[in-house]
Amino acid sequence: MEYSLPVLPYELDALEPYISKETVEFHYGKHHKAYVENLNILIKGTGFENSSLEDIIKNASGPIFNNAAQVWNHSFYWMGLEPSTPEIPFGKLAKAIDTKWGSYEAFVADFSRVAVGTFGSGWAWLVKKADGSLEIESTSNAGTPLATGSKPLLACDVWEHAYYIDCRNARSHYLHSFWRLVNWEFVEKNFE
Ligand code: FE2
């Protein structure tokens, strides 16, 4: 089975002015694409050739895990962004965020702190734990909550390749842009 790069649910320039077309061209068109191509090469002739991405993530290690997880993480990241989107959560998710953090603003501050504070390359996640509660998690490199059993609701890629074109080294600047683009309908759907 060959994996392919998923089609973005919007145009390459749709996230402007917050995330530039050039960033998406590189991040999606080169980095994400390379993970897909590397994974296809790496699984050839192994027991993972006909496995689902989720199965590979749960059972593989080393380069196969890294590339499979990065394929999944990026596909999930792009789905969590949208150009014209309600700017705050709604429905049951909004209630759960208020219960845990007190307010949307407090949640954003906490998530941003975790994202900006993630050492080196990695990801910040809003996840639903097995007991139904919300949590913010940070993973390094290709790490993904899929491997630990939490249900991912929202991902923020904090690898430098996600923001160096638009924000140079200013990850906190990128976080400001990120919040303008979160697809809360997608997050809400994942929560339910
Ligand atoms: Fe990335």
Side-chain angles (χ1 to χ4, degrees), residues 63-130:
I64 292 183
F65 169 83
N66 287 337
N67 284 279
Q70 284 294 74
V71 170
W72 193 94
N73 289 352
H74 281 86
S75 301
F76 191 80
Y77 168 73
W78 298 120
M79 294 290 288
L81 303 178
E82 221 203 11
S84 54
T85 178
E87 285 187 9
I88 54 169
F90 53 90
K92 287 179 187 159
L93 177 68
K95 279 204 190 96
I97 286 174
D98 282 348
T99 302
K100 171 93 185 183
W101 286 278
S103 69
Y104 168 70
E105 290 72 20
F107 156 72
V108 165
D110 204 17
F111 188 105
S112 299
R113 183 184 53 76
V114 170
V116 172
T118 297
F119 183 75
S121 298
W123 297 80
W125 304 85
L126 175 65
V127 301
K128 189 176 171 183
K129 307 292 280 186

Side-chain angles (χ1 to χ4, degrees), residues 6 16 20 24 34 43 69 91 111 117 138 150 158 166 187-188:
E16 291 193 338
S20 68
V24 179
I43 59 175
F111 188 105
S138 165
S150 298
V158 297
D166 297 335
V187 185
E188 176 87 31

Side-chain angles (χ1 to χ4, degrees), residues 27 31 35 70 74 77 123 157 159 161-162:
H27 194 185
H31 293 284
Y35 294 127
Q70 284 294 74
H74 281 86
Y77 168 73
W123 297 80
D157 187 344
W159 283 59
H161 68 215

Side-chain angles (χ1 to χ4, degrees), residues 39-73:
L39 179 64
N40 284 329
I41 292 166
L42 288 164
I43 59 175
K44 213 159 261 170
T46 74
F48 293 115
E49 217 164 1
N50 294 306
S51 302
S52 70
L53 207 47
E54 286 79 3
D55 281 343
I56 298 175
I57 289 167
K58 282 176 182 147
N59 297 299
S61 59
I64 292 183
F65 169 83
N66 287 337
N67 284 279
Q70 284 294 74
V71 170
W72 193 94
N73 289 352

